[in-house]
Amino acid sequence: MNCSISGEVPEEPVVSTKSGLLFEKRLIERHISDYGKCPVTGEPLTMDDIVPVKTGKIVKPRPVQAASIPGMLGMFQIEWDGLMLSNFALEQQLHTARQELSHALYQHDAACRVIARLKKERDEARALLAQAERQVPMAVTTAPNGAALSNGKRAAEEEEMDPSGKKIRLGISGDVIKELQDCNAALSQQRKRRQIPATLAPVDDVQRYTQLNSYPLHKTNKPGILSLDIYYPKDIIVTGGVDSNAVVFDRPSGQIVSTLSGHSKRVTSVRFAAEGELVVTGSADKTVCLWQSSENGNYDCRLTLKDHSAEVQAVTVHATNNYFVSASLDGTWCFYDLGSGLCLAQVADASESEGYTSAAFHPDGLIIGAGTSGAQVKIWDVKSQANVARFDGHVGAVTSISFSENGYFLATAAQDGVKLWDLRKLRNFRTFSPYDEDTATQSVEFDHSGSYLALGGSDIRVYQVASVKSDWNSIKILPDLSGTGKATCLKFGPDAKYIAVGSMDRNLRIFGLPGEDQSES
């Protein structure tokens, strides 16, 4: 009998007690150790199921081909033919491998030549630049108000110091205050006549919002979007990331317009200004940068401001588009002229040592709301730079604040959720606690019409704005699809047609009504 695996007469025959099949012992042992089953029937098989077969000493019969000289010559011819075919295939493989190696070596040599040429050109450019800087005085431009600007930074000689070593500020002049008051009067009159636009997304549409797109804007090695802003007329979005970059993104086309690289640490806050021509960024590297749009569509760093001594946590632009404020963990907020980058006033609360973690201008522009690391919300009067009110009651740092369009309500977010404050009576009239005590609310935002309020934490929740006494109904809960459990920033698009959300991954997500996203058309 022959082995069921090799088909030859076994030298050490064994038989399976399960199938009754005969095997060569060494072959079946190896098969059982590799697969644990019978090679013929597929049934589970172990060495305990194998029984040796005792046989007499036998001589293996010679094959028919070896029984005669012509048969043996035929066998030799077949083996020779097989050897020649195998040798031909090996020669072909060797030839192909030599060609591929030659091509790879040529590409490597060409790449090395290109790299060497680029390094040489870079070194020559650096040498020429250094020579030009030594021979030619640095060009200085003068801003309209006389502030000297040089190489994207305010000239150091303009910053005078008082005897205590602090920088002397010019202060917010009467002309600036009059400009702010005129803007406040105009906006107040417009607000009284303003009606909710007919193009605003209705509640039924918001209730059907779902994720439309996800755009990977930031680096994968340092994921996380910490802040975003939208310039409505052009529908462009700017995001600030943990990777120390800000990204300007055109939502209708789904394309990145410009990557703003200049900060050395994470970008904590971003805002558009001057009809989208400027971007203001605050960073954990203690600086504020102003980025100017150029003809090629990129945004170039125009100014780097270094007035804070700790992380800048928030920037907010005044409605005139002529001024902005930065707030820092050093416990001060700075009022800047947007055109020159000059810090007109740096305000600190002498009675407190807490740093600022969020800030926003009131829609009328005469007061500033600022959240602190000590769970307080402070209201500052811009004209007098006085702290005119403060709200207590939060737990943990105030991560985000937002004023409603009508100017009556202030929403603040912290570890314990979102609190709504009535600015007319200076009291908290409603609290949302959507998450457990270990999950902070990272962001809160009214839409531009003041009809909806959204908050972000481990998910995104949208409420319908009501009055002090009426219920603010939750109309939609959107999941945080980043998988990080932290929706760090959000903002309603034009007419609340979509919601842009940034989380602790690298993606900007757009939630809206399916089928109406412009970037899909």
Side-chain angles (χ1 to χ4, degrees):
M1 296 183 67
N2 296 333
C3 173
S4 298
I5 297 177
S6 66
E8 298 180 355
V9 177
E11 295 180 359
E12 291 184 80
V14 294
V15 67
S16 168
T17 58
K18 290 187 174 181
S19 62
L21 296 173
L22 186 71
F23 300 100
E24 176 69 57
K25 183 178 180 181
R26 60 184 174 79
L27 297 179
I28 193 64
E29 283 181 346
R30 180 174 297 177
H31 192 278
I32 290 175
S33 66
D34 291 342
Y35 303 102
K37 61 182 180 179
C38 177
V40 178
T41 64
E43 297 177 347
L45 193 65
T46 65
M47 289 306 298
D48 295 336
D49 300 322
I50 301 302
V51 177
V53 178
K54 295 182 179 180
T55 61
K57 195 68 175 178
I58 60 174
V59 179
K60 293 182 180 179
R62 288 187 299 174
V64 177
Q65 294 87 344
S68 64
I69 291 177
M72 294 176 66
L73 291 175
M75 289 174 57
F76 295 153
Q77 183 65 48
I78 292 172
E79 291 181 2
W80 176 260
D81 293 341
L83 180 61
M84 289 300 101
L85 290 173
S86 176
N87 186 57
F88 177 76
L90 288 174
E91 287 181 352
Q92 281 190 320
Q93 292 177 2
L94 176 61
H95 180 67
T96 302
R98 283 178 173 173
Q99 285 184 325
E100 292 176 352
L101 178 60
S102 176
H103 185 64
L105 290 174
Y106 174 81
Q107 286 184 323
H108 178 266
D109 184 59
C112 290
R113 289 197 301 270
V114 171
I115 292 172
R117 177 174 57 81
L118 292 176
K119 285 185 176 180
K120 182 180 179 181
E121 292 176 356
R122 180 201 63 185
D123 294 339
E124 290 175 352
R126 285 179 174 176
L128 291 173
L129 179 61
Q131 183 180 2
E133 288 178 346
R134 287 193 300 268
Q135 295 178 354
V136 181
M138 186 172 294
V140 177
T141 61
T142 303
N145 63 357
L149 308 177
S150 175
N151 192 28
K153 299 180 181 179
R154 191 167 62 254
E157 56 269 19
E158 289 295 320
E159 296 183 348
E160 300 179 0
M161 302 289 184
D162 64 13
S164 65
K166 295 182 179 180
K167 297 176 183 177
I168 298 176
R169 308 300 184 189
L170 297 178
I172 302 177
S173 66
D175 290 340
V176 173
I177 292 176
K178 183 178 185 305
E179 183 181 358
L180 300 182
Q181 290 175 329
D182 291 344
C183 178
N184 169 68
L187 291 176
S188 297
Q189 289 298 322
Q190 292 177 10
R191 189 165 289 109
K192 291 177 181 178
R193 299 191 301 266
R194 185 175 177 181
Q195 297 180 350
I196 296 177
T199 53
L200 181 71
V203 174
D204 292 343
D205 285 357
V206 177
Q207 290 174 336
R208 292 188 291 146
Y209 279 4
T210 185
Q211 179 173 306
L212 301 179
N213 293 99
S214 178
Y215 302 99
L217 303 185
H218 291 267
K219 296 179 181 178
T220 55
N221 60 336
K222 290 183 178 180
I225 296 177
L226 302 178
S227 178
L228 65 84
D229 192 25
I230 303 175
Y231 180 58
Y232 291 149
K234 296 182 181 178
D235 202 3
I236 54 176
I237 302 173
V238 60
T239 61
V242 178
D243 60 358
S244 74
N245 292 334
V247 176
V248 179
F249 174 75
D250 183 71
R251 192 194 70 86
S253 66
Q255 300 296 319
I256 292 176
V257 175
S258 180
T259 299
L260 285 50
S261 300
H263 288 292
S264 59
K265 294 184 179 180
R266 64 186 183 277
V267 178
T268 56
S269 185
V270 292
R271 288 293 180 269
F272 279 111
E275 297 182 351
E277 296 300 312
L278 286 177
V279 172
V280 185
T281 60
S283 171
D285 64 7
K286 308 176 186 178
T287 67
V288 175
C289 287
L290 301 185
W291 307 81
Q292 176 77 50
S293 176
S294 58
E295 293 180 357
N296 60 8
N298 291 326
Y299 283 76
D300 302 318
C301 184
R302 197 189 79 184
L303 291 169
T304 299
L305 311 174
K306 301 181 179 179
D307 296 292
H308 289 290
S309 59
E311 295 184 8
V312 178
Q313 291 286 295
V315 292
T316 177
V317 178
H318 190 268
T320 58
N321 265 309
N322 294 329
Y323 308 98
F324 74 94
V325 162
S326 63
S328 168
L329 287 179
D330 64 7
T332 68
W333 57 270
C334 292
F335 186 91
Y336 289 95
D337 178 271
L338 191 59
S340 65
L342 190 65
C343 180
L344 302 179
Q346 187 166 12
V347 182
D349 190 342
S351 63
E352 300 287 347
S353 60
E354 301 166 349
Y356 291 110
T357 52
S358 55
F361 267 110
H362 186 272
D364 290 340
L366 290 182
I367 62 174
I368 298 171
T372 72
S373 58
Q376 280 194 337
V377 180
K378 298 180 180 180
I379 305 298
W380 292 87
D381 179 75
V382 178
K383 301 190 301 296
S384 63
Q385 296 98 63
N387 180 202
V388 294
R390 65 181 62 195
F391 302 135
D392 299 302
H394 268 302
V395 175
V398 180
T399 54
S400 176
I401 70 175
S402 178
F403 288 96
S404 66
E405 187 276 337
N406 61 13
Y408 297 155
F409 303 134
L410 171 66
T412 58
Q415 182 72 32
D416 56 344
V418 170
K419 292 185 180 294
L420 296 175
W421 309 87
D422 185 351
L423 297 177
R424 295 164 294 185
K425 297 184 178 180
L426 300 180
R427 67 181 183 90
N428 169 225
F429 66 91
R430 185 163 279 100
T431 299
F432 300 127
S433 300
Y435 313 119
D436 58 54
E437 59 183 10
D438 297 325
T439 304
T441 304
Q442 302 288 337
S443 181
V444 65
E445 187 79 23
F446 284 98
D447 81 299
H448 188 60
S449 71
S451 301
Y452 300 111
L453 175 72
L455 58 88
S458 59
D459 56 27
I460 302 97
R461 305 191 178 207
V462 183
Y463 295 83
Q464 187 175 15
V465 173
S467 64
V468 172
K469 296 181 180 180
S470 303
D471 291 333
W472 294 45
N473 298 320
S474 174
I475 57 178
K476 185 64 178 179
I477 299 178
L478 298 165
D480 172 34
L481 298 177
S482 69
T484 62
K486 278 190 176 182
T488 52
C489 52
L490 53 84
K491 196 171 184 69
F492 287 94
D495 291 327
K497 295 295 186 183
Y498 65 85
I499 304 174
V501 178
S503 302
M504 286 307 293
D505 66 349
R506 61 193 292 246
N507 294 296
L508 170 69
R509 289 178 170 80
I510 304 297
F511 294 86
L513 195 62
E516 293 190 4
D517 185 38
Q518 297 177 14
S519 62
E520 292 183 341
S521 57

